[in-house]
Amino acid sequence: MLDAILAGLSGLSLGVSSLFTGGAPNAIMLAVGATLLYLGVKKGVEPLLLVPIGFGCVLVNIPLSELMDKGGLLKVFYEMGVANEVFPLLIFVAIGAMTDFGPLLENPKILLFGAAGQVGIFITLLIALALGFPQLEAVAIAVIGACDGPTAIYVASQYAPQLLAPISVAAYSYMALVPIIMPPIMRALTTEKERNVRMDTVKRSVSRQTKILFPLVVTLVGGLIAPKGLPLLGTIMLGNFMRESGVVARLTKASENEIANVVTLFLGLAIGGTMEGHAFLKPQTLAIFAMGFVAISLDTVAGVLFGKLMCRLSGWKINPLIGAAGISAYPMAARVVQNQGLRYNKKNHLLMHAAGANTGGQIGSVVAAAVMLSVMKGMGMI
């Protein structure tokens, strides 16, 4: 009996011994999880996602936890909403319900900035292919450049699930770092004269009918052109249609709050659960982070350069800084542009123009992913 008791008590030390004997990757990832929690709690960096992701990372890297084994809690979350893409699509419904496309509709040509802000995605796709990544993995990595977490998660979970953890963490990390990444690029590519260009307030108003028809038209046209990406485009436009119709206020509010909050919690824990040390710590992970940074930087470069072109073509009526808001980090990119504009001219309020470019970038990132997936479908790759 005593031997049985002692043997049973020895089981209490198995986790500690496993960590010290063969768990160096787990120990490293426990530190990574703690860092994510620190950034979310202490620094306020994307806390709604980094807190559950960080906690999930801690849970899965405790030796013998079995939380990502069949039937484990994190595995259940993963299978119920990540493996079948439900969670990111529900997040898109929430994003649509929270997005006001009014600034974009008031000045439709600003949609071009949203298109320019996706150039880095396609360049990074070529880089990933040149480095030897398979086509589907290359597409999933390139989508990090959309600076849109749900899009990156959707594409990775469906076509490169083995890369879901590094792609998800990279996407949300770089979204949080937009205020640090973008300003040096904006300053380097623009002159003082360009940064001081003041833009007139757009005085056109958009009718309620136009706002209601917009998500329907975008869904129809986008679905016909790139049907493979219709789940992405359709869900964000569904959320926006509910918002603008004004007749389903309860559903809109639920999408913005309860559904978004619950899904974000489960999604974050599931992503954290994929960050087990032995699977996560690979040279491939560093390459993915590096290419993600390149993609977002190139998006910013392309947007600002396009802004410089539009500045000249408009007779110095467009501030090229708003081109940086063409990426999909909504609404952080627009705020960065506003802050940079005020830095050089205290009367230079660019927020509404940048918000239009930013909403264009939100659409552009989804369309870019949809186009790549549809092209690959046509080539028989998926």
Side-chain angles (χ1 to χ4, degrees):
M1 176 65 72
L2 181 60
D3 290 340
I5 293 175
L6 292 175
L9 291 175
S10 68
L12 298 176
S13 64
L14 287 178
V16 176
S17 61
S18 297
L19 186 63
F20 282 100
T21 55
N26 297 112
I28 293 172
M29 292 309 296
L30 285 172
V32 170
T35 302
L36 295 177
L37 291 173
Y38 172 79
L39 292 174
V41 175
K42 190 69 175 180
K43 299 298 184 180
V45 177
E46 293 290 328
L48 292 178
L49 270 162
L50 290 194
V51 168
I53 289 176
F55 209 92
C57 179
V58 170
L59 289 175
V60 79
N61 281 288
I62 295 175
L64 310 179
S65 65
E66 300 182 348
L67 288 172
M68 275 300 281
D69 292 344
K70 186 173 180 60
L73 177 64
L74 300 184
K75 187 68 171 181
V76 170
F77 289 158
Y78 180 85
E79 292 177 343
M80 68 186 278
V82 178
N84 56 15
E85 305 97 40
V86 169
F87 285 168
L89 294 180
L90 287 176
I91 292 291
F92 264 108
V93 175
I95 292 173
M98 290 185 275
T99 302
D100 179 12
F101 288 119
L104 177 63
L105 295 173
E106 291 168 2
N107 188 14
K109 66 176 179 289
I110 212 165
L111 180 64
L112 296 173
F113 287 100
Q118 313 309 314
V119 169
I121 296 176
F122 297 97
I123 296 177
T124 304
L125 172 62
L126 298 177
I127 294 174
L129 291 172
L131 291 176
F133 283 90
Q135 289 91 338
L136 292 179
E137 291 187 2
V139 169
I141 293 168
V143 172
I144 297 174
C147 214
D148 182 355
T151 302
I153 292 171
Y154 174 84
V155 175
S157 62
Q158 188 167 15
Y159 301 107
Q162 68 277 14
L163 302 182
L164 176 63
I167 286 175
S168 302
V169 175
Y172 280 108
S173 297
Y174 290 137
M175 282 177 63
L177 291 173
V178 158
I180 297 174
I181 296 173
M182 287 175 52
I185 298 174
M186 296 162 67
R187 290 193 295 270
L189 295 178
T190 56
T191 65
E192 185 173 351
K193 179 181 178 180
E194 290 171 336
R195 292 192 289 267
N196 277 281
V197 172
R198 294 181 62 182
M199 296 181 66
D200 297 328
T201 303
V202 177
K203 299 180 180 179
R204 287 192 299 272
S205 59
V206 179
S207 67
R208 178 170 177 266
Q209 183 180 22
T210 300
K211 287 188 173 183
I212 291 175
L213 289 175
F214 178 73
L216 293 175
V217 172
V218 171
T219 300
L220 180 61
V221 174
L224 290 173
I225 295 174
K228 197 65 182 175
L230 192 55
L232 292 169
L233 197 59
T235 47
I236 192 171
M237 290 303 157
L238 168 62
N240 188 252
F241 182 78
M242 292 193 301
R243 169 195 173 99
E244 301 301 344
S245 69
V247 296
V248 286
R250 288 171 57 188
L251 295 180
T252 303
K253 183 179 178 181
S255 298
E256 292 177 327
N257 297 290
E258 291 84 1
I259 294 175
N261 292 334
V262 172
V263 171
T264 299
L265 173 61
F266 290 168
L267 178 63
L269 287 171
I271 292 172
T274 64
M275 296 173 65
E276 195 278 328
H278 294 84
F280 190 86
L281 293 178
K282 298 178 179 178
Q284 186 183 58
T285 300
L286 295 177
I288 289 171
F289 272 79
M291 285 186 284
F293 178 79
V294 169
I296 292 173
S297 298
L298 289 176
D299 284 341
T300 306
V301 168
V304 174
L305 291 179
F306 184 73
K308 290 169 71 73
L309 175 63
M310 294 293 287
C311 178
R312 301 300 193 281
L313 294 178
S314 66
W316 293 83
K317 294 181 180 179
I318 293 178
N319 190 311
L321 291 178
I322 69 169
I327 65 174
S328 182
Y330 184 88
M332 288 178 289
R335 292 173 183 162
V336 171
V337 170
Q338 165 74 350
N339 292 336
Q340 290 299 303
L342 290 175
R343 178 176 179 177
Y344 300 103
N345 187 332
K346 296 300 182 183
K347 298 181 180 180
N348 201 5
H349 295 279
L350 302 174
L351 184 59
M352 292 307 294
H353 302 285
N358 209 182
T359 52
Q362 182 73 64
I363 297 174
S365 67
V366 174
V367 171
V371 167
M372 286 194 294
L373 295 178
S374 292
V375 168
M376 297 186 75
K377 175 68 173 178
M379 296 172 66
M381 296 181 183
I382 54 178

